[in-house]
């Protein structure tokens, strides 16, 4: 989840709780000047809440679709909460409502209003918690995916290194084969030369023996 969105979210939740308390306390204020001051503070708070809602909306729409859908679901809850706060503020500042009406609303309906508001905020809190849990699961899945990707890259690098080693070994073996072939050729040539020299020596010895025999025969005959 975006850290920027989470920052806006924390600010809004604090502001919403503060506005809710101010709306509840303003309905009990009897002094007109104090009440107008409360109205001014609540109006400024609602404007700030509107700004935060817009910032969250822009931030959510700039993210990836999977994260954006989850954040927009959160944002709908916050927009509904802000709408209820605005309605409560409008009721408090309505020019048609006099003190008697306020007292009647306070006695007859305020409890229900606060109860409904509390229930809604409880549901909102639960929804936020569920969405936070979903966000955590998404982040965990993303981390697992990154770890798996890193492991796959590491394995591919190892395989590439092993392939290079095998290719180098193959080249060395090919060089050894060439050297062996050259050695065989040299040995074959040497063997042929030795055989030829043997024949030459044998021929020379045979010629000498023949010459000696002829000389001896000549001398013996004379």
């Amino acid at each position: 989840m975006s850290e920027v969105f989470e920052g806006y979210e924390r600010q809004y939740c604090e502001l919403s709780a503060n506005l809710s308390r101010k709306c509840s306390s303003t309905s009990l204020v009897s002094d007109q000047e104090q009440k107008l001051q409360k109205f001014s503070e609540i109006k400024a708070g609602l404007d700030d809440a509107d700004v935060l809602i817009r910032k969250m909306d822009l931030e959510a729409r700039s993210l990836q679709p999977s994260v954006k859908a989850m954040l927009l679901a959160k944002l709908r809850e916050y927009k509904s909460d802000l709408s209820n706060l605005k309605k409560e503020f409008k009721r408090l500042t309505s020019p048609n409502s006099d003190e008697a009406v306020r007292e009647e609303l306070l006695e007859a309906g305020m409890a229900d209003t606060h109860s409904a508001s509390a229930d809604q905020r409880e549901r909102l809190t639960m929804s936020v918690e569920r969405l936070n849990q979903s966000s955590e699961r998404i982040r965990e899945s993303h981390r697992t995916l990154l770890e798996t990707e890193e492991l796959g890259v590491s394995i591919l690098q190892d395989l590439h290194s092993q392939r290079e080693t095998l290719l180098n070994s193959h080249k060395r073996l090919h060089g050894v084969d060439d050297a062996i072939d050259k050695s065989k050729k040299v040995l074959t040539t040497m063997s042929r030369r030795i055989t030829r020299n043997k024949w030459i020596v044998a021929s020379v010895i045979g010629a000498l023996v023949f010459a000696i025999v002829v000389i001896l025969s000549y001398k013996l005959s004379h």
Side-chain angles (χ1 to χ4, degrees):
M1 186 186 296
S2 169
E3 293 183 1
V4 176
F5 185 92
E6 289 179 344
Y8 293 149
E9 183 181 24
R10 284 192 297 271
Q11 294 179 42
Y12 176 81
C13 289
E14 292 173 0
L15 183 58
S16 174
N18 188 32
L19 288 172
S20 179
R21 288 193 297 269
K22 285 184 177 181
C23 288
S24 299
S25 62
T26 300
S27 62
L28 302 176
V29 174
S30 58
D31 184 77
Q32 191 64 24
E33 185 176 350
Q34 292 182 1
K35 184 168 293 187
L36 290 175
Q37 184 179 355
K38 290 281 189 181
F39 287 163
S40 178
E41 292 175 359
I42 294 172
K43 180 63 169 62
L46 290 173
D47 291 340
D48 291 341
D50 268 326
V51 172
L52 288 172
I53 288 292
R54 287 196 295 270
K55 287 182 177 179
M56 283 191 284
D57 185 72
L58 290 174
E59 178 65 19
R61 294 182 187 279
S62 68
L63 300 175
Q64 297 178 353
S66 58
V67 180
K68 179 173 70 175
M70 179 180 59
L71 295 184
L72 289 178
K74 272 190 177 184
L75 194 58
R76 284 193 292 271
E77 295 284 348
Y78 295 144
K79 287 180 178 179
S80 175
D81 177 67
L82 180 59
S83 177
N84 289 335
L85 289 173
K86 287 181 177 180
K87 288 178 182 179
E88 190 170 354
F89 177 68
K90 184 177 180 181
R91 182 186 61 78
L92 290 172
T93 59
S94 175
N96 297 324
S97 58
D98 53 17
E99 191 65 27
V101 174
R102 290 193 184 93
E103 291 294 334
E104 181 181 355
L105 289 174
L106 181 62
E107 295 176 0
M110 204 62 176
D112 292 338
T113 301
H114 288 317
S115 177
S117 178
D119 290 341
Q120 184 177 11
R121 278 174 171 71
E122 184 178 356
R123 289 195 299 270
L124 178 62
T125 302
M126 293 176 64
S127 298
V128 170
E129 290 178 355
R130 286 195 296 269
L131 289 173
N132 285 335
Q133 291 174 359
S134 299
S135 301
E136 184 61 31
R137 286 195 294 269
I138 290 175
R139 284 196 293 267
E140 185 64 29
S141 298
H142 184 63
R143 283 195 296 268
T144 302
L145 180 62
L146 289 177
E147 291 174 357
T148 303
E149 183 179 359
E150 291 176 356
L151 179 60
V153 171
S154 177
I155 292 173
L156 288 176
Q157 290 175 345
D158 290 341
L159 290 175
H160 179 72
S161 176
Q162 292 175 9
R163 179 176 178 273
E164 291 294 328
T165 302
L166 290 174
L167 288 175
N168 292 332
S169 299
H170 179 71
K171 290 178 180 178
R172 286 195 294 269
L173 289 174
H174 183 70
V176 171
D177 289 341
D178 290 342
I180 291 173
D181 289 339
K182 290 179 181 179
S183 299
K184 285 182 178 179
K185 289 179 181 178
V186 171
L187 290 173
T188 301
T189 301
M190 291 177 63
S191 177
R192 288 175 180 173
R193 287 179 181 176
I194 291 171
T195 301
R196 185 178 60 188
N197 290 337
K198 284 181 179 180
W199 281 106
I200 291 172
V201 171
S203 298
V204 170
I205 293 173
L208 290 173
V209 170
F210 179 75
I212 291 171
V213 170
V214 170
I215 291 170
L216 290 173
S217 300
Y218 177 79
K219 285 184 176 183
L220 291 173
S221 62
H222 290 82

